[in-house]
Amino acid sequence: MKKHTNLVWIVALVLGWGFDFLFWGKPLGINFAIFFTACLLGGSLVLLANDLNPNKKSLWLVLPFLFFVIFSLVRQEPLTMALSIVGVLVSLGLLTVTYLDGHWTRYSLFDYFKKFFLLISNLVTLPVVFYRETKVDTTNLRRFPLKPVVRGVLIAVPVVAFFTTLLAAGDVVFQLKTYNFITQFHPSKIPEMILRLIIILVVAYILTGVFLYAALKSSDENLQEEDKPVVKRSLGFIEAIIVLGSVSLLFLVFVIIQFRYFFGGEVNIGVQGYTYSEYARSGFSELIMVAFFSLLMILGLGTLTKRESDLQKRIYSGLSVCIALLVIVILVSAYQRL
């Protein structure tokens, strides 16, 4: 991060202001998608400008991010928005901690918790350390023509005020806009302005920590070794395979039914006593929860299951991938319902 150090602070401050502009006094909605998309683009700008290119495996994490962002736009009831927020934060968090090495596919459940804990803890310390190491050179600042600038401002203020008065007198709409702008600086609103400034700075500080972690800490290859698990592997391979196989079969049956009844069109739905609209809207959130808990199940079993040979590892990985692919189809089905 030595090439464009100031860009980190500038982008973070702009995004902090954007957070205030989009969310202050406004309900959660499209502003959520706009802000986090801007965070992804802003972080990419900072990192690419400093010649820090993402690992190709890490780029796959953009897909779930986009899914949950779109998800938040098409359906905004509370449970769906909560799932969207979790999905977006987890996707961006994983992208941050594995930006350079792309090892998120090798993580155990312990590694996921460990990486997110390190990310949260480093958000506090990294900006301070970075600031101390890259203090701005004040040599050029001392040459800044401060006195002429102050004199120019003092002259410009009454001139601008004069023309503003004339323009306001000549146009009612401009007069109203000017009045609304001036009232924003009423003494009664000073506490609100201070609070909003604090929020902007806090958001900018957090985003600075995120950018710096992706740049400086996301290439750590210190993963939990399979032969030295933190949690003792107490579940047998056969038991785990039965669980994964059963869930795979259940999901496969569900997907087949989806293709027959949902993708088959309105006639098939009507036969069962449901209108097409009722069928399409029912169970949307539940399908998203199925996808979420499927991921937890795979991670949990991966932490607890004994895999003593390469064949067992391949079988376990194959069933896990099978469930993941079926979950993707279920997510597509959930999206198609809208």
Side-chain angles (χ1 to χ4, degrees):
M1 297 291 287
K2 296 181 179 180
K3 190 174 181 180
H4 298 286
T5 55
N6 293 335
L7 185 62
V8 179
W9 308 107
I10 294 172
V11 172
L13 283 172
V14 170
L15 290 173
W17 173 83
F19 180 87
D20 173 78
F21 177 78
L22 291 170
F23 290 98
W24 184 266
K26 301 179 181 67
L28 192 64
I30 191 174
N31 48 5
F32 171 80
I34 294 174
F35 176 73
F36 281 99
T37 302
C39 288
L40 178 63
L41 296 176
S44 300
L45 172 64
V46 170
L47 295 168
L48 293 176
N50 286 277
D51 297 327
L52 296 171
N53 299 317
N55 187 284
K56 293 181 180 179
K57 292 181 180 179
S58 297
L59 292 178
W60 285 102
L61 292 167
V62 177
L63 294 180
F65 167 80
L66 293 176
F67 173 83
F68 285 109
V69 163
I70 296 173
F71 189 39
S72 69
L73 294 175
V74 298
R75 189 174 174 90
Q76 296 183 354
E77 51 89 18
L79 178 58
T80 303
M81 282 302 299
L83 291 172
S84 298
I85 292 171
V86 172
V88 166
L89 292 179
V90 170
S91 300
L92 287 181
L94 279 178
L95 180 59
T96 300
V97 300
T98 62
Y99 179 82
L100 294 177
D101 60 34
H103 288 162
W104 63 277
T105 56
R106 295 170 48 192
Y107 284 179
S108 66
L109 187 61
F110 172 80
D111 288 316
Y112 282 107
F113 283 111
K114 172 186 169 185
K115 292 295 183 179
F116 276 103
F117 175 78
L118 290 174
L119 173 61
I120 294 172
S121 60
N122 276 273
L123 293 182
V124 179
T125 58
L126 274 180
V128 176
V129 174
F130 182 71
Y131 174 76
R132 290 177 178 175
E133 294 178 352
T134 60
K135 286 185 177 179
V136 179
D137 186 5
T138 58
T139 304
N140 293 328
L141 294 178
R142 294 171 185 171
R143 300 176 183 174
F144 185 76
L146 181 61
K147 291 182 179 180
V149 169
V150 172
R151 287 196 296 266
V153 171
L154 292 175
I155 296 171
V157 168
V159 174
V160 171
F162 173 73
F163 284 111
T164 300
T165 303
L166 292 178
L167 291 171
D171 187 90
V172 176
V173 175
F174 183 79
Q175 182 182 36
L176 180 61
K177 295 293 185 182
T178 303
Y179 175 79
N180 292 336
F181 176 77
I182 294 175
T183 55
Q184 294 295 319
F185 301 94
H186 192 275
S188 63
K189 293 193 174 184
I190 290 179
E192 176 186 312
M193 295 173 64
I194 293 175
L195 176 60
R196 294 176 69 172
L197 178 61
I198 292 174
I199 292 174
I200 290 173
L201 293 177
V202 169
V203 172
Y205 188 89
I206 292 173
L207 290 174
T208 300
V210 171
F211 299 158
L212 293 175
Y213 192 98
L216 305 174
K217 302 281 188 177
S218 63
S219 59
D220 183 17
E221 299 185 6
N222 185 22
L223 302 180
Q224 185 63 37
E225 297 295 336
E226 291 190 357
D227 57 343
K228 297 179 181 179
V230 174
V231 180
K232 184 178 180 180
R233 299 185 187 276
S234 56
L235 186 64
F237 174 75
I238 294 178
E239 292 92 328
I241 292 306
I242 291 175
V243 174
L244 291 176
S246 301
V247 173
S248 298
L249 181 61
L250 174 64
F251 285 3
L252 178 61
V253 172
F254 179 83
V255 167
I256 292 173
I257 293 175
Q258 290 290 287
F259 274 101
R260 180 181 176 185
Y261 287 97
F262 186 72
F263 296 102
E266 199 167 331
V267 176
N268 288 331
I269 304 301
V271 171
Q272 301 299 325
Y274 292 94
T275 66
Y276 191 76
S277 176
E278 289 172 341
Y279 180 80
R281 293 290 176 179
S282 64
F284 177 80
S285 299
E286 287 79 359
L287 293 182
I288 303 301
M289 293 180 68
V290 166
F292 176 74
F293 285 112
S294 299
L295 175 61
L296 289 183
M297 179 195 68
I298 292 174
L299 293 175
L301 287 177
T303 303
L304 298 174
T305 303
K306 300 176 183 177
R307 283 160 284 179
E308 299 175 351
S309 65
D310 291 338
L311 177 61
Q312 290 182 351
K313 292 178 181 179
R314 286 196 295 270
I315 293 175
Y316 183 90
S317 299
L319 286 174
S320 298
V321 170
C322 179
I323 292 178
L325 293 175
L326 291 171
V327 165
I328 291 175
V329 177
I330 292 174
L331 289 176
V332 172
S333 171
Y335 179 75
Q336 283 291 105
R337 286 172 180 262
L338 299 179

